[in-house]
Amino acid sequence: MYGGGDCQVLSSIGGNVVSSDPLFSSPIRNSNLNFMSNLPFHPFSAIIPKEEVEVVRGKEEEMERSGSGSGHVEGVSGDEQENKQQPKKKRYHRHTARQIQEMEALFKECPHPDDKQRMKLSQELGLKPRQVKFWFQNRRTQMKAQQDRADNVLLRAENENLKNENFRLQAALRNVICPNCGGPAILGEMSFDEQHLRLENARLKEELERITCVASRYSSRPLQALPPAGPHLMLPSLDLDMGIYSRHFHEPINNCTDIIPVPPMLENQFIAAGGCMIMEQEKPLALELAMTAMDELLKMCHATDPLWVRSSNGSKEVLNLEEHARMFPWPLNVKQQSSEFRTEATRDSALVIMNSITLVDAFLDANKWMELFPSIVSKARTVQIITSGVSGHLSGSLHLMYAELQVQSPLVPTREAHFLRYCQQNVEEGTWAIVDFPVDNFHDNLQTCFPRYRRRPSGCIIQDMPNGYSRVTWIEHAEIEDKPVHKIFNDFVNSGLAFGAQRWLAVLQRQCERFASLMARNISDLGVIPSPEARKNMMKLAHRMIRTFCINVSTSGGHSWTALSDSVDDTVRITTRKNTEAGQPNGMILCAVSTTWLPFPHHQVFDLLRDERRRSQLDVLSGGNSLHEVAHIANGSHPGNCISLLRINASSNSSQNVELMLQESCTDPSGSLIVYTTMDVDAVQLAMSGEDPSYIPLLPIGFVVFPVGSAGVGGSISCNGSGIPSEGANGPSPGCLLTVGLQVLASTVPSAKLNLSSVTAINNHICNTVQQINAALSNSSSTDGGVAGAGVGGGGGGSTEPAAASS
């Protein structure tokens, strides 16, 4: 309406409508208007608001009626006319100094006053509301013009700096020295024909690389994509010809006929993460390895005996290493297994409620991949996209990735690796395949973590099934440095349960169900959740709570954990961190974790800890307060996969002070999680109102339960010299590993020192927690007629006693 300027913005805040409608939008237009104001006609008819035009016309009609118009001046002499017009030359002031002062004061506080504020100000100053409105519009336009002028000054200065830098670079290029003869080199102009030939050469080079990769699959030895060029055959790369530098240099050449190319500014030369990326000349080799790894994955997924053999009790499959080495000689002399490494290889298949396209997209996006496996993948990033597929299609994509894999305990080191991930679609079979393979053939300096971990060809085949389901066959194959872990986790890790295909697929099944629940719009939840948007926000908040807990109780991120006792049986570890980021309380946070073996089934421990009615019987966890569920969100088919909002019935509660607890429990055959945190009512209302819940501070605590020792789940499986499996005779008895993770805000000052009383208090709390859980499970087993469990220290078979830390 007003010829440029800000667009009108309306937002409802507490029932008031805030409006902004500036008159002009740029200092250039203001200068034009000042110039046009000297013309004999009025140029503002298309710009002045309709209300102000009507006011001007009314004043002109009033002047004509009062006899002050031009028609009454014709019959008057010149002197009389000059005398009568003299008072009219007085400058007209629309607003008084007081009015301007009052409006300036309000403008500093609120540049966009609403209708009520403008009405109140107009009554106080004796102005019409639209006069106040127009004044504020003009004032905002003036401020914007001043800001534009200041920005122009900064941009001019930056432009001058860039010009000076360009001149400096051009001067440096004039002094390029030939490394062969020491004389000046030439950077000549390229003709149109030469540019055309180079483009054609690049196209033919890509075609040759593709044919080479295909041919190498059917050849007994790998083919060389391009012969190494001699020093006199090195031509500038294609990136040189994209106009990065000016080429107006025509200095004569002394005794040199070489053309020294300007080093291209490649984006994939180095990465800030500390490792080199795949160079342009290495991409054909990477594509060749990708196709070889894909062939290996497909054969390992479909092969049976003798590649995969059953254990003595038939509970699980084990890879025959000798048969694997015979079937898949890894090409191009990539490092083979040495005595320092042991092999972990597992295979499993499952049906998940997610279509193949969504799954493939999640695997190729590092952030989505982390969200899909929050308890396994602690960190992930895409280092380099080597190929992005054909015409934006996911098939044919090759990514260089980095990942950090975790187990929820400081007793198990994380595994870090750089690897290449390749995706391929088989349209005829209706399947997708994703394979990971090692990158250490290109760079030996990437593997610096402990323990050393090399990801051999691993991945999955995804086949679409009816009703949005997918059949996923998973292969997990890796070489890990053979270093002992804590004895309580030794069998769990060495058997392949910690990082094997069974755990990956179990977590994938559960997360796919959670994602389906997140996207559902027709689920009626119990409790106080008002809308689907509120439900979605609460699920996102709980997911962040789970992810934060998993990272903080593991060795992810280089956490340095300290044992509270010198005993080898003690598993209590503590660490501190200084937090100043949003999403967690600011200050020094103390975290303590302990793992204990319990002679009880995994599901029995999970049922005790997730049930708020049974958990409230444990004084150390409830503080003597009962819990009442006020909201419930189902996350999957298992009743234990849910999110609960619990009211803490404490004596300190009042209508103004209500304590709430957000809890999520999730379980699958590979393990269970029960994580919760206290929240205030305002934070819950903020999340349910649709606001971004990522800034709500959370300090979660919880429990992790891993099943071990049961038939088909945990027995120690290894390969003998011939690759035939043999089950360990000294494997642990059926039971589970219970990890307790506690976090407390030790001080609101991040630089504070940790005192001994805080350490003693949290250690005693962990010991009492484990003892009460063990006692409750023992009583429950005795009541049900089952075998009563032994005490924490008397469980045998790898049990530990956290109480030893306090002695």
Side-chain angles (χ1 to χ4, degrees):
M1 177 179 176
Y2 298 136
D6 300 339
C7 60
Q8 191 173 8
V9 178
L10 298 177
S11 60
S12 176
I13 303 176
N16 298 328
V17 178
V18 181
S19 174
S20 64
D21 192 7
L23 189 58
F24 309 120
S25 62
S26 67
I28 299 176
R29 178 170 292 179
N30 291 337
S31 63
N32 292 336
L33 294 179
N34 293 333
F35 167 75
M36 294 174 68
S37 62
N38 298 323
L39 298 177
F41 58 88
H42 204 291
F44 294 92
S45 59
I47 300 179
I48 296 180
K50 182 177 180 181
E51 296 86 346
E52 191 168 346
V53 173
E54 293 176 356
V55 172
V56 174
R57 290 178 179 175
K59 290 184 177 181
E60 291 177 353
E61 293 175 358
E62 183 179 355
M63 291 173 63
E64 291 177 358
R65 287 194 300 267
S66 62
S68 59
S70 59
H72 296 276
V73 185
E74 294 178 357
V76 184
S77 63
D79 295 339
E80 292 177 353
Q81 181 179 352
E82 184 178 357
N83 293 334
K84 287 184 179 182
Q85 289 183 353
Q86 189 68 27
K88 300 297 181 180
K89 292 183 179 180
K90 183 178 180 180
R91 186 175 181 182
Y92 176 71
H93 294 279
R94 177 174 294 182
H95 305 302
T96 64
R98 175 181 171 277
Q99 292 172 340
I100 295 176
Q101 183 178 2
E102 292 293 333
M103 288 189 288
E104 283 283 359
L106 180 59
F107 182 82
K108 293 179 180 179
E109 299 178 1
C110 179
H112 295 270
D114 54 25
D115 293 340
K116 293 182 179 179
Q117 291 173 314
R118 290 199 300 267
M119 181 64 69
K120 181 180 177 182
L121 188 62
S122 64
Q123 292 175 356
E124 293 177 353
L125 301 179
L127 297 173
K128 294 182 180 180
R130 63 171 175 267
Q131 289 180 293
V132 177
K133 175 182 177 181
F134 294 152
W135 187 91
F136 273 88
Q137 289 177 358
N138 295 334
R139 189 69 178 89
R140 289 193 297 268
T141 303
Q142 183 183 5
M143 292 292 294
K144 188 175 184 300
Q146 293 175 355
Q147 183 63 37
D148 289 343
R149 286 193 292 270
D151 293 343
N152 288 337
V153 173
L154 294 177
L155 290 174
R156 290 193 191 96
E158 185 176 356
N159 186 29
E160 290 297 327
N161 293 335
L162 292 175
K163 287 182 179 179
N164 295 334
E165 181 69 13
N166 187 27
F167 294 152
R168 186 186 65 80
L169 292 175
Q170 290 184 4
L173 287 174
R174 293 189 183 96
N175 299 323
V176 174
I177 303 299
C178 175
N180 295 332
C181 64
I186 184 172
L187 295 172
E189 292 280 357
M190 282 197 308
S191 64
F192 175 79
D193 293 337
E194 185 178 356
Q195 292 180 3
H196 180 74
L197 288 174
R198 291 194 178 187
L199 292 175
E200 182 69 15
N201 182 45
R203 188 189 65 79
L204 293 174
K205 180 180 177 182
E206 293 178 359
E207 184 70 14
L208 178 61
E209 291 174 355
R210 187 184 65 83
I211 296 176
T212 302
C213 293
V214 174
S216 64
R217 300 173 61 185
Y218 305 99
S219 176
S220 59
R221 61 183 182 86
L223 302 178
Q224 185 75 20
L226 286 175
H232 295 280
L233 297 179
M234 290 292 293
L235 294 176
S237 68
L238 189 62
D239 295 339
L240 175 66
D241 308 320
M242 302 307 292
I244 299 177
Y245 296 110
S246 175
R247 299 180 179 275
H248 300 288
F249 306 110
H250 299 283
E251 286 81 3
I253 306 176
N254 292 337
N255 295 320
C256 178
T257 59
D258 295 340
I259 299 179
I260 308 300
V262 178
M265 300 174 64
L266 295 176
E267 294 180 357
N268 60 346
Q269 192 170 2
F270 294 98
I271 60 173
C276 296
M277 302 173 75
I278 303 300
M279 306 301 291
E280 191 68 31
Q281 61 270 21
E282 296 173 332
K283 289 183 179 180
L285 175 61
L287 289 171
E288 180 182 347
L289 291 177
M291 295 181 183
T292 304
M294 182 63 70
D295 286 342
E296 179 175 336
L297 175 72
L298 296 176
K299 292 178 181 178
M300 290 183 69
C301 284
H302 297 109
T304 55
D305 188 62
L307 183 62
W308 292 98
V309 291
R310 286 282 175 180
S311 59
S312 58
N313 60 2
S315 60
K316 63 183 299 183
E317 292 179 315
V318 180
L319 181 66
N320 188 329
L321 298 182
E322 292 184 356
E323 182 66 17
H324 178 270
R326 186 188 66 81
M327 290 181 61
F328 308 109
W330 192 241
L332 302 184
N333 297 324
V334 176
K335 300 180 184 65
Q336 299 294 318
Q337 181 188 17
S338 65
S339 59
E340 299 179 357
F341 288 82
R342 60 178 174 84
T343 298
E344 292 182 5
T346 52
R347 180 173 70 170
D348 199 7
S349 179
L351 195 66
V352 301
I353 181 172
M354 185 175 288
N355 62 66
S356 60
I357 296 297
T358 306
L359 278 174
V360 170
D361 179 66
F363 279 105
L364 294 179
D365 188 314
N367 293 327
K368 293 180 181 178
W369 189 45
M370 285 191 296
E371 295 296 316
L372 199 58
F373 299 96
S375 58
I376 301 179
V377 183
S378 59
K379 293 180 181 178
R381 63 174 176 269
T382 301
V383 180
Q384 178 187 6
I385 299 178
I386 301 172
T387 60
S388 56
V390 181
S391 301
H393 197 260
L394 297 176
S395 181
S397 299
L398 180 60
H399 295 183
L400 173 60
M401 302 187 69
Y402 164 83
E404 182 181 87
L405 311 180
Q406 64 180 353
V407 171
Q408 282 68 54
S409 175
L411 302 178
V412 181
T414 55
R415 297 182 175 183
E416 301 178 53
H418 287 79
F419 55 90
L420 290 162
R421 174 165 291 179
Y422 180 65
C423 172
Q424 179 177 293
Q425 182 186 20
N426 189 328
V427 180
E428 297 179 355
E429 298 180 0
T431 61
W432 288 83
I434 297 176
V435 63
D436 300 341
F437 57 97
V439 73
D440 53 359
N441 181 71
F442 303 98
H443 304 289
D444 296 332
N445 58 345
L446 290 178
Q447 195 63 259
T448 58
C449 60
F450 173 82
R452 289 180 292 172
Y453 171 70
R454 184 185 304 144
R455 192 163 175 80
R456 294 297 296 272
S458 306
C460 59
I461 298 177
I462 307 170
Q463 183 174 12
D464 272 323
M465 303 295 287
N467 301 323
Y469 283 77
S470 297
R471 168 69 63 179
V472 180
T473 303
W474 197 291
I475 296 290
E476 196 64 27
H477 187 196
E479 294 175 357
I480 184 70
E481 189 175 7
D482 196 9
K483 298 291 184 181
V485 296
H486 196 280
K487 67 178 185 179
I488 199 172
F489 275 103
N490 187 61
D491 184 79
F492 180 69
V493 174
N494 291 341
S495 64
L497 291 177
F499 300 96
Q502 290 81 7
R503 186 182 176 211
W504 282 95
L505 268 184
V507 174
L508 178 63
Q509 279 184 300
R510 173 168 51 82
Q511 286 297 113
C512 287
E513 289 185 355
R514 192 184 195 279
F515 181 77
S517 176
L518 176 67
M519 303 305 295
R521 310 286 294 182
N522 57 351
I523 298 180
S524 58
D525 298 302
L526 304 177
V528 297
I529 300 178
S531 64
E533 289 73 18
R535 179 180 186 275
K536 195 172 184 178
N537 267 9
M538 292 301 294
M539 293 185 68
K540 290 182 178 179
L541 187 64
H543 182 81
R544 179 164 67 89
M545 176 182 68
I546 288 282
R547 178 165 178 78
T548 301
F549 174 79
C550 291
I551 292 176
N552 289 336
V553 298
S554 68
T555 56
S556 174
H559 288 171
S560 178
W561 295 86
T562 304
L564 295 184
S565 173
D566 295 333
S567 173
V568 294
D569 294 332
D570 181 34
T571 65
V572 181
R573 301 289 189 273
I574 66 168
T575 187
T576 59
R577 67 179 187 275
K578 301 174 182 179
N579 183 70
T580 57
E581 299 179 357
Q584 296 186 58
N586 289 337
M588 185 182 67
I589 298 176
L590 171 63
C591 182
V593 181
S594 176
T595 301
T596 306
W597 180 82
L598 296 178
F600 303 102
H602 157 244
H603 63 86
Q604 184 179 354
V605 180
F606 174 71
D607 290 338
L608 169 67
L609 296 175
R610 78 176 181 86
D611 191 342
E612 68 275 3
R613 291 169 296 181
R614 298 179 63 188
R615 196 175 64 207
S616 62
Q617 301 172 5
L618 305 176
D619 295 336
V620 68
L621 294 180
S622 62
N625 301 319
S626 62
L627 301 174
H628 174 66
E629 188 178 57
V630 297
H632 181 92
I633 301 175
N635 271 343
S637 57
H638 193 285
N641 292 334
C642 62
I643 299 172
S644 300
L645 189 61
L646 308 171
R647 177 189 174 102
I648 304 174
N649 297 322
S651 57
S652 59
N653 279 355
S654 63
S655 58
Q656 291 80 20
N657 181 24
V658 178
E659 293 182 326
L660 298 175
M661 178 185 294
L662 178 64
Q663 172 183 297
E664 178 166 357
S665 59
C666 49
T667 184
D668 56 61
S670 70
S672 301
L673 278 169
I674 305 97
V675 183
Y676 54 91
T677 184
T678 56
M679 299 179 63
D680 55 30
V681 177
D682 294 337
V684 174
Q685 290 178 347
L686 180 67
M688 289 189 178
S689 64
E691 297 291 335
D692 183 12
S694 60
Y695 294 98
I696 298 177
L698 301 177
L699 195 61
I701 61 178
F703 307 91
V704 186
V705 188
F706 290 120
V708 293
S710 57
V713 177
S716 176
I717 305 295
S718 59
C719 291
N720 54 26
S722 61
I724 304 300
S726 61
E727 186 159 352
N730 298 324
S733 303
C736 64
L737 294 175
L738 172 65
T739 298
V740 183
L742 301 179
Q743 295 186 93
V744 296
L745 184 62
S747 175
T748 56
V749 181
S751 59
K753 300 295 183 180
L754 183 65
N755 52 44
L756 183 60
S757 61
S758 300
V759 177
T760 304
I762 198 170
N763 179 59
N764 293 336
H765 190 80
I766 282 188
C767 296
N768 294 334
T769 299
V770 175
Q771 290 173 359
Q772 288 196 13
I773 292 173
N774 193 29
L777 292 169
S778 300
N779 294 336
S780 176
S781 298
S782 300
T783 303
D784 296 339
V787 179
V792 177
S799 64
T800 61
E801 184 175 356
S806 59
S807 60

